[in-house]
Amino acid sequence: MSDAVMAYPWQMPQWQQVCQLLEEQRLPHALLFSGPADTGKKRFADAMLAGLLCEQPRQHLCCGECKSCNLRSQGSHPDLKVICPHEGKRQIGVDQVRVLQQFTGQSAFREGGKKLVLVYPAEAMNAFTANALLKTLEEPAGDTVIVLLSHAPSQLLPTIRSRCLQMNFGIPPEAAALSWLKNYVGDDAQARVVLAEAGGRPLAARAMFENDSLNESLQFDQGLSAVAAGSKSVLQLAEEWQGGEPLTLLEWWLRRLVALIRHHNTGEPVAEGWQAFLGIPPVAVFEHYDEALQLRAKIQRGANLNKRLMVEKLLLEWFALRR
């Protein structure tokens, strides 16, 4: 027996929208779920697709007990195709997408059912892959539903975005995220700390708590503070940081820049050690933030960057803003 799949509590507005589309038989053939990572888009898509596959759905939720639900939970349902980068790869291969035309052109295994496709993250498609998907979007079979998940929808082709119903999944309300997170953390105060450190993203906060990676962020803060105080050089810090995961470092960096921007706008406190950077003009912080975002996007697309040079450049440019 498989388990029923449900959306997260903070996704009820989007879930009600999907339910209304289903009840009015207006569910489009292509949907784009967009928003920050670690907010639950994948779980929402899984819940929706599971309900569509289920033989005995209950208020559009899968029963978790029928043959279709068991096939789905085992990853072997013939009417569901999941496309994501292969293990060890950052991009979705064009061959993975080309098979969709044949897949969607076939009749559904279950009589009266739909052929379902999930593509994530959609920005992992290069130009060739995106164009291959576009052909399927332009000529969809009548019983096909394609769901794209994207953390950065602006990186998708405008022609792909225009052919999808777009639903946004932003940072959830703090109260809803805390209520869910406390079930894992246990302590209200600690849940608040780890949620704030994760930028309000509840799934990232849970992972941070489970992996005890909060200490990693504090170590980053201490290293930067040491350079600001003159007890360590930029090159020494770059040497220490070059062995880590670039995306982890950049996520921390972006969180701290956002906190600095909020401080300028609302007076919210910044992390320990970042008081040394309060004098940097907000416009310069924004420009540096945009550059860091572009750098993260390059890494997510699979760019082969020299980690040591990347960290040195990031730090040198940042400390140059203090002068």
Side-chain angles (χ1 to χ4, degrees):
M1 180 182 296
S2 64
D3 294 326
V5 185
M6 298 180 64
Y8 288 110
W10 57 84
Q11 298 172 330
M12 286 305 102
Q14 293 93 335
W15 186 254
Q16 290 169 2
Q17 181 181 354
V18 166
C19 289
Q20 184 175 355
L21 291 171
L22 288 169
E23 289 165 6
E24 296 174 356
Q25 298 184 346
R26 295 190 299 110
L27 187 71
H29 76 274
L31 301 98
L32 171 59
F33 297 165
S34 61
D38 297 313
T39 54
K41 298 187 297 298
K42 174 65 164 52
R43 171 75 164 265
F44 186 94
D46 286 341
M48 189 190 84
L49 296 175
L52 291 174
L53 290 171
C54 182
E55 298 169 12
Q56 301 171 346
R58 302 161 185 169
Q59 296 181 329
H60 307 296
L61 289 170
C62 70
C63 69
E65 301 172 350
C66 67
K67 180 179 180 181
S68 284
C69 283
N70 283 314
L71 287 172
R72 173 194 51 77
S73 67
Q74 295 166 12
S76 57
H77 200 294
D79 291 338
L80 176 62
K81 177 77 70 175
V82 178
I83 295 178
C84 60
H86 289 310
E87 186 175 356
K89 303 290 185 180
R90 292 186 181 274
Q91 290 193 341
I92 294 172
V94 66
D95 291 340
Q96 292 178 263
V97 173
R98 282 178 177 160
V99 301
L100 285 184
Q101 286 187 306
Q102 180 181 359
F103 172 76
T104 58
Q106 298 171 343
S107 298
F109 175 76
R110 184 167 67 88
E111 185 176 355
K114 297 181 180 294
K115 304 290 287 187
L116 307 178
V117 179
L118 176 62
V119 181
Y120 73 97
E123 60 270 20
M125 296 185 293
N126 59 30
F128 298 106
T129 308
N131 282 318
L133 176 65
L134 193 56
K135 293 180 181 179
T136 303
L137 291 176
E138 288 172 341
E139 301 175 1
D143 61 350
T144 298
V145 175
I146 301 173
V147 178
L148 308 180
L149 305 186
S150 176
H151 309 321
S154 62
Q155 296 179 20
L156 303 180
L157 292 177
T159 45
I160 285 183
R161 296 199 304 268
S162 67
R163 284 168 171 76
C164 299
L165 171 67
Q166 299 187 42
M167 296 180 63
N168 183 53
F169 292 78
I171 300 295
E174 183 182 36
L178 280 175
S179 177
W180 176 83
L181 186 60
K182 282 190 293 186
N183 293 326
Y184 297 91
V185 176
D187 180 73
D188 182 75
Q190 190 173 12
R192 289 181 181 278
V193 169
V194 73
L195 183 64
E197 184 62 32
R201 298 174 299 162
L203 302 188
R206 184 179 70 178
M208 190 172 288
F209 172 75
E210 292 175 345
N211 300 332
D212 196 27
S213 56
L214 185 61
N215 288 332
E216 190 173 32
S217 293
L218 297 177
Q219 289 173 3
F220 285 148
D221 290 333
Q222 292 168 0
L224 199 69
S225 180
V227 175
S231 60
K232 185 176 294 185
S233 71
V234 165
L235 296 182
Q236 286 175 322
L237 186 58
E239 176 70 25
E240 293 177 7
W241 285 359
Q242 70 167 337
E245 170 57 46
L247 280 177
T248 301
L249 174 63
L250 280 172
E251 290 290 352
W252 161 80
W253 190 257
L254 289 166
R255 290 197 303 271
R256 292 297 186 257
L257 294 179
V258 168
L260 202 56
I261 292 169
R262 286 178 177 166
H263 174 83
H264 285 301
N265 292 333
T266 66
E268 289 185 26
V270 295
E272 185 177 352
W274 281 76
Q275 291 81 1
F277 308 107
L278 296 180
I280 297 177
V283 64
V285 179
F286 270 111
E287 290 173 354
H288 190 78
Y289 179 79
D290 286 339
E291 291 177 3
L293 279 177
Q294 293 172 19
L295 183 58
R296 184 181 67 177
K298 288 181 181 178
I299 295 175
Q300 290 174 332
R301 289 196 298 267
N304 187 18
L305 303 179
N306 184 303
K307 288 192 291 184
R308 172 64 181 268
L309 292 179
M310 180 199 81
V311 174
E312 284 185 10
K313 183 175 184 293
L314 198 69
L315 291 172
L316 288 170
E317 290 180 352
W318 178 245
F319 279 96
L321 297 177
R322 295 180 68 204
R323 303 193 186 102

